[in-house]
């Protein structure tokens, strides 16, 4: 799996679709606030087209976004129940002794592992759902595991780690830069604070859609790498 190529493709895909198309950029930011709409746009990206899809059919986007949310919630019901069970057991055993602390710590570790494993399946399930528009296929766990097997579990996890590192670094750079400029602007009475708030809003509008599209495209490429 060529991580650099996937990162480059995702960047070019996002840049070509957004840079210069500021109206679409702003609408995507609004859709992130009305999050089912953003889910519907992710659905379009997950289809795997080589160019960013059009931002249209708002009703269809909203409906598909709701469907993606439902699938995501279902996938995390089991991890949630497991975490509640271990959390409840830890609470019942609590008493300040070492055994109770160890039980709570073990419960947290197991819950985190279960959440992580289910998230790996859920990511591929959401893309499979968008490709098939079938709830049955979204929960066809055996087929999803087989698909991940074609990608390679190590490749899959490494690809996600690479994406998380890149996004973390990018966000931190934006935050640090924004913080420095905001501090300087805040030195100006009243007007400076307003300018700082405006800057924060502008950065949020810029970084949100770009990272969102980039991530959706990158995950799509991971999914499609099974066929490579």
């Amino acid at each position: 799996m060529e991580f650099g190529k996937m990162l480059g493709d995702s960047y070019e895909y996002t840049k070509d679709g957004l840079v210069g198309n500021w109206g679409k950029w702003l609408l995507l930011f609004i859709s992130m606030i009305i999050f089912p709409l953003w889910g519907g746009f992710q659905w379009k990206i997950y289809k795997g087209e080589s160019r960013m899809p059009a931002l249209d059919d708002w009703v269809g986007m909203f409906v598909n976004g709701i469907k993606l949310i439902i699938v995501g919630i279902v996938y995390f019901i089991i991890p949630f129940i497991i975490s509640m069970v271990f959390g409840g057991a830890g609470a019942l055993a609590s008493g300040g002794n070492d055994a109770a602390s160890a039980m709570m710590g073990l419960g947290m570790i197991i819950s985190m592992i279960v959440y992580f494993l289910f998230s790996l399946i859920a990511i591929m399930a959401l893309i499979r759902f968008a490709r098939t528009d079938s709830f049955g296929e979204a929960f066809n766990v055996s087929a999803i595991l087989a698909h991940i097997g074609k990608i390679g579990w190590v490749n899959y996890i490494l690809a996600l780690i690479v994406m998380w590192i890149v996004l973390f670094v990018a966000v931190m750079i934006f935050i640090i830069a924004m913080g420095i400029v905001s501090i300087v602007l805040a030195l100006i009475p009243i007007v400076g604070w307003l300018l700082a708030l405006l800057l924060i809003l502008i950065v949020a509008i810029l970084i949100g859609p770009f990272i969102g599209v980039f991530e959706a495209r990158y995950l799509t490429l991971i999914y499609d790498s099974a066929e490579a």
Side-chain angles (χ1 to χ4, degrees):
M1 184 178 289
E2 300 181 42
F3 303 128
K5 184 177 179 180
M6 291 168 59
L7 290 170
D9 180 290
S10 301
Y11 174 78
E12 291 298 327
Y13 176 94
T14 307
K15 178 177 68 68
D16 292 344
L18 290 180
V19 174
N21 196 346
W22 308 115
K24 186 174 186 178
W25 201 318
L26 180 59
L27 288 174
L28 278 179
F29 177 75
I30 294 173
S31 75
M32 286 182 158
I33 298 174
I34 311 173
F35 55 91
L37 289 176
W38 170 244
F41 193 70
Q42 285 180 302
W43 175 290
K44 291 186 174 186
I45 295 174
Y46 290 159
K47 289 290 187 180
E49 297 178 3
S50 59
R51 297 180 63 84
M52 188 183 298
L55 192 59
D56 55 13
D57 186 17
W58 293 91
V59 174
M61 283 174 54
F62 190 88
V63 171
N64 289 334
I66 291 293
K67 291 193 291 186
L68 282 182
I69 291 171
I70 292 172
V71 171
I73 290 174
V74 171
Y75 264 101
F76 284 100
I77 287 177
I78 293 177
F80 177 76
I81 292 174
I82 291 174
S83 65
M84 289 298 99
V85 168
F86 279 104
L92 291 174
S94 62
N97 54 57
D98 292 340
S101 299
M103 180 178 290
M104 292 187 68
L106 178 62
M108 290 180 60
I109 293 172
I110 293 175
S111 297
M112 291 173 61
I113 292 173
V114 172
Y115 267 109
F116 178 70
L117 292 176
F118 270 78
S119 68
L120 293 178
I121 299 172
I123 290 170
M124 295 293 101
L126 293 176
I127 300 175
R128 184 180 183 85
F129 186 33
R131 297 287 176 91
T132 62
D133 196 11
S134 166
F135 277 102
E137 289 302 313
F139 298 106
N140 188 347
V141 177
S142 61
I144 294 169
L145 291 176
H147 191 90
I148 296 174
K150 292 179 182 178
I151 297 171
W153 282 93
V154 174
N155 283 335
Y156 181 30
I157 294 173
L158 285 176
L160 291 177
I161 292 174
V162 168
M163 181 189 72
W164 292 332
I165 291 174
V166 169
L167 293 182
F168 176 79
V169 171
V171 170
M172 289 305 299
I173 291 174
F174 268 100
I175 290 176
I176 292 172
M178 181 181 66
I180 294 173
V181 176
S182 296
I183 291 173
V184 174
L185 290 175
L187 297 176
I188 306 173
I190 302 177
V191 176
W193 283 101
L194 294 176
L195 290 175
L197 290 174
L198 179 61
L199 174 65
I200 293 172
L201 176 60
I202 292 174
V203 170
I205 292 174
L206 290 176
I207 197 173
F210 199 95
I211 287 180
V213 172
F214 178 93
E215 180 181 23
R217 174 61 176 175
Y218 187 86
L219 294 176
T220 302
L221 292 177
I222 295 177
Y223 185 91
D224 288 336
S225 68
E227 309 300 330

